[in-house]
Amino acid sequence: MPGNRRAIGGMEIITLTNIFLLAAAALMVVGIFSSLVASRFGAPLLLVFLVIGMLAGEDGPGQIHFSDYRATYLVGSVALAIILFDGGLRTRLSSFRGTLGPAVLLSTVGVVITAALVGVVAMLVLGLPLLEGLLVGAVVASTDAAAVFFLLKSGGLQLKKRVGSLLEIESATNDPAAIFLSVLLVELIAQGHGGLGWDVLLALGQQALIGSAVGVAGGLGLALLLNRFDLPSGLHPLLAVGAALVIFGLAAVADGSGFLAVYLAGLVLGNRPVRAIASITSFHDAATWLCQLVMFVMLGLLVTPSKVLDYALPALVIAVFLIAVGRPVAVWLCLAPFGFRSSEKLYVSWVGLRGAVSIFLATIPTLAGVASAEVFFNVAFTVVIVSLVVQGWTLTWAARKTGVALAEASHEVRRFEIDLPGQLDYELVAYPVMAGSPVLGHGTLPGWAQMLLVVREGAILSAEQAGQPRPGDYAYVLAPPERVGRLDRLFVPGENAPDVELAAAFPFKGDIRIGVIADLYGLTIAAHERDMTIAEVFAERFDDRPAVGNRVHLGPVALVARAVEDERVGLAGLIFEDHEDGRDRHILNGAALARLLAPRHMARKRARRRA
């Protein structure tokens, strides 16, 4: 009989394990398809996954009772390490130019200012001691990079270069600051410290210094390993993930910031020539999605809505203060020395979405045995929900209202990367050529890129056989890895790419002054643009990121960028626009241009003769 009981117990465990695997897989599939709904309606992706977790939880129809904070911390740490490593891997040091100082200040000092201001309010409305109030502030002090850029991308929003780079760097680097500030405060509370002192600042400095050293050394070492050893196909991405977790663990064991270390390791690796970088980044696309999904759903399972309601009122006060005062004050103080316009600071203040990191940090007090641990988790959850709903659905609208969005929406380019074993200077990238892609009207690729072959209607053609790209083609191009991002712009689909004949009708070199063209054809332009060249006007209007197909409108005509090299327009075409529907109706050949501009031009000539 005892043996039968053990057998039955073992079978029950197997059955429960299978049910758990089924439920986890079903939640993963639902979460993946829910991302399509989120992108269609502009809903914050994190909010969707949290709702799925809550519905599966004990207060929802799923009735899953989950309260394992230790497992949540373990899974959350691994997931955040991989997400931060991927964030560093995709950040280019070239984007740091002009924004590194303000971004780093905002992600460090800004986090401390936000935590302090929110902490004081939390202390008052929740009746907590000073350190516990500051812990509430630290938990909700960082922004969620994944949520921010998913919403910007789904809204087709293209931010001005300086603001976009600032938000990218700040949101990717402020998590480590919030994490080790929260961990430090938890340790002080657990040890019974009554306040802050120099030991706190020394501990913060130590974590930053050790984390930075381990991260940079680890990134250099990982790059050396990848380039030195010729691993079997498919193992390079696994080595990168494994090494990232080793770097994270080493820094944490050495009393440094593992999260800062793993981000810096990714940053170093992503900005060095590395073998198999295409397969590594492709693998991390899937790994990062999986980590976000698992972490968000697990955090949703932890939540008990009935308990959240007990703290709803003070949590709402904290959320409103954070959005309206805490984040804006930190942004204004940190960006004041760097010449940002008020509209730019206003938008950066608004893009302060809280996400999974805040809820993850709120689980640490429970693991540490802090008496009021329940307060931190439920308040943090409410703050995150309010932030995602209020700020998440208004990011695109706010960008257009504050003028930090470029006039033309961004379009996602589809790119397939293929490793070339044995060398690091070039990689092979494949693009589907879609209707409206600038490459159709551009005619040629930049000098540093070479078309190798084209797949057209099932046939493989050499570049010479294929000639000009056509819609429906797949173009395979050899290019330096660091310049592939520039190549993307030629293959971005869009509805307003210029026709080759249209844009070539009247070509002008980029070093010609706009004032000369305006005087020649009687066009009205802004006074400050008269002495600017075509290239300078495109750079100003498109925030130093002009692309083939961009337009500068000059009354009844427009200049269309035909060739862009190293962020500078080298050739532009003059076209005539029909402003009733925005379409190009006529090629500006000599006769058409004469009919359009001759009366004005002759009037100006007569005026000059009379003078």
Side-chain angles (χ1 to χ4, degrees):
M1 292 298 290
N4 288 339
R5 282 199 295 271
R6 284 197 295 272
I8 292 172
M11 292 303 297
E12 287 178 347
I13 291 174
I14 293 174
T15 301
L16 289 173
T17 302
N18 291 335
I19 292 173
F20 173 78
L21 291 175
L22 174 63
L27 287 174
M28 183 184 303
V29 172
V30 171
I32 290 171
F33 280 100
S34 68
S35 68
L36 300 177
V37 178
S39 61
R40 179 177 295 273
F41 294 101
L45 190 59
L46 171 58
L47 180 60
V48 174
F49 289 156
L50 282 175
V51 170
I52 291 172
M54 291 171 65
L55 291 175
E58 59 180 307
D59 279 4
Q63 292 292 300
I64 297 176
H65 295 270
F66 179 78
S67 58
D68 193 338
Y69 285 86
R70 191 178 300 276
T72 301
Y73 181 78
L74 175 62
V75 173
S77 296
V78 172
L80 279 177
I82 294 175
I83 291 170
L84 287 171
F85 180 77
D86 181 70
L89 193 65
R90 297 177 187 280
T91 301
R92 292 291 168 262
L93 289 174
S94 58
S95 66
F96 284 16
R97 187 172 60 239
T99 56
L100 179 60
V104 171
L105 192 64
L106 193 56
S107 65
T108 53
V109 177
V111 167
V112 174
I113 293 173
T114 303
L117 292 174
V118 175
V120 172
V121 173
M123 180 183 67
L124 296 175
V125 299
L126 292 170
L128 297 173
L130 175 61
L131 284 182
E132 293 187 11
L134 291 176
L135 179 57
V136 173
V139 162
V140 298
S142 69
T143 60
D144 187 272
V148 169
F149 287 100
F150 172 80
L151 289 172
L152 295 179
K153 185 178 178 181
S154 64
L157 195 63
Q158 188 176 4
L159 297 178
K160 290 184 176 180
K161 185 176 181 179
R162 195 182 188 198
V163 174
S165 297
L166 172 69
L167 289 172
E168 178 182 353
I169 299 169
E170 184 249 344
S171 60
T173 56
N174 66 6
D175 286 343
I179 290 168
F180 63 65
L181 182 60
S182 299
V183 170
L184 182 63
L185 287 169
V186 168
E187 291 177 355
L188 292 175
I189 293 169
Q191 295 169 8
H193 280 257
L196 301 173
W198 285 107
D199 55 338
V200 175
L201 296 178
L202 290 175
L204 288 174
Q206 172 186 308
Q207 290 204 19
L209 184 61
I210 295 176
S212 300
V214 173
V216 172
L220 292 173
L222 178 56
L224 181 64
L225 286 175
L226 288 168
N227 291 334
R228 178 68 61 87
F229 297 102
D230 190 9
L231 298 173
S233 177
L235 290 185
H236 296 92
L238 294 179
L239 174 61
V241 171
L245 295 178
V246 168
I247 291 167
F248 170 78
L250 281 175
V253 169
D255 289 330
S257 171
F259 295 102
L260 178 60
V262 79
Y263 173 77
L264 291 177
L267 184 66
V268 170
L269 185 68
N271 286 275
R272 295 182 65 81
V274 175
R275 179 181 294 166
I277 191 65
S279 60
I280 291 173
T281 53
S282 177
F283 177 84
H284 270 271
D285 273 338
T288 301
W289 267 101
L290 180 61
C291 289
Q292 290 175 3
L293 191 154
V294 170
M295 185 168 62
F296 298 164
V297 172
M298 182 176 283
L299 292 172
L301 284 171
L302 271 180
V303 175
T304 304
S306 57
K307 293 182 180 178
V308 172
L309 292 175
D310 294 339
Y311 300 94
L313 185 57
L316 283 173
V317 172
I318 293 170
V320 171
F321 179 85
L322 172 64
I323 294 171
V325 180
R327 166 78 174 178
V329 168
V331 168
W332 244 260
L333 291 176
C334 291
L335 299 187
F338 299 100
F340 281 84
R341 296 195 299 270
S342 296
S343 59
E344 293 172 333
K345 288 186 282 190
L346 182 62
Y347 186 70
V348 173
S349 300
W350 191 250
V351 185
L353 275 78
R354 271 54 198 171
V357 174
S358 295
I359 304 177
F360 165 75
L361 291 178
T363 65
I364 298 177
T366 300
L367 292 175
V370 176
S372 53
E374 184 180 279
V375 176
F376 303 106
F377 186 83
N378 290 293
V379 169
F381 185 84
T382 302
V383 171
V384 169
I385 294 296
V386 172
S387 174
L388 289 174
V389 172
V390 174
Q391 295 170 294
W393 260 298
T394 58
L395 282 189
T396 302
W397 172 83
R400 303 198 188 286
K401 284 294 184 181
T402 54
V404 301
L406 295 181
E408 298 185 8
S410 63
H411 299 275
E412 184 177 4
V413 66
R414 295 172 58 197
R415 181 215 303 164
F416 307 94
E417 298 172 273
I418 303 166
D419 260 334
L420 298 177
Q423 62 80 50
L424 303 173
D425 296 330
Y426 291 91
E427 68 179 58
L428 187 62
V429 289
Y431 295 93
V433 182
M434 305 177 72
S437 296
V439 72
L440 297 174
H442 190 48
T444 59
L445 295 176
W448 42 263
Q450 179 185 352
M451 184 89 72
L452 293 186
L453 58 92
V454 173
V455 177
R456 180 177 294 160
E457 297 178 353
I460 300 177
L461 308 174
S462 67
E464 293 76 16
Q465 291 172 324
Q468 285 286 104
R470 302 176 188 173
D473 287 352
Y474 279 83
Y476 288 77
V477 183
L478 197 65
E482 67 274 9
R483 293 193 171 188
V484 169
R486 297 180 184 178
L487 194 62
D488 287 350
R489 301 174 187 177
L490 290 177
F491 293 90
V492 175
E495 300 178 355
N496 297 319
D499 182 84
V500 62
E501 294 180 358
L502 192 65
F506 274 85
F508 291 94
K509 292 185 177 180
D511 56 2
I512 295 176
R513 288 192 299 111
I514 288 285
V516 172
I517 299 175
D519 290 341
L520 183 61
Y521 299 130
L523 303 175
T524 302
I525 62 172
H528 76 280
E529 292 181 339
R530 290 193 59 83
D531 292 328
M532 298 172 66
T533 65
I534 290 174
E536 290 169 343
V537 170
F538 272 99
E540 180 186 57
R541 295 202 185 184
F542 294 94
D543 203 48
D544 293 323
R545 289 191 296 181
V548 172
N550 286 159
R551 301 183 180 207
V552 168
H553 300 280
L554 305 172
V557 303
L559 285 169
V560 182
R562 287 268 294 129
V564 179
E565 182 73 19
D566 293 330
E567 313 289 345
R568 183 179 177 84
V569 173
L571 186 69
L574 194 67
I575 63 172
F576 170 56
E577 293 189 319
D578 183 344
H579 288 283
E580 291 182 2
D581 58 7
R583 296 182 180 179
D584 308 312
R585 293 297 190 188
H586 307 288
I587 297 175
L588 264 180
N589 53 31
L593 184 65
R595 287 195 300 271
L596 173 67
L597 299 174
R600 302 182 193 178
H601 185 45
M602 294 305 295
R604 293 178 70 87
K605 287 180 68 175
R606 287 194 296 268
R608 282 197 289 269
R609 289 196 194 103
R610 286 196 297 269

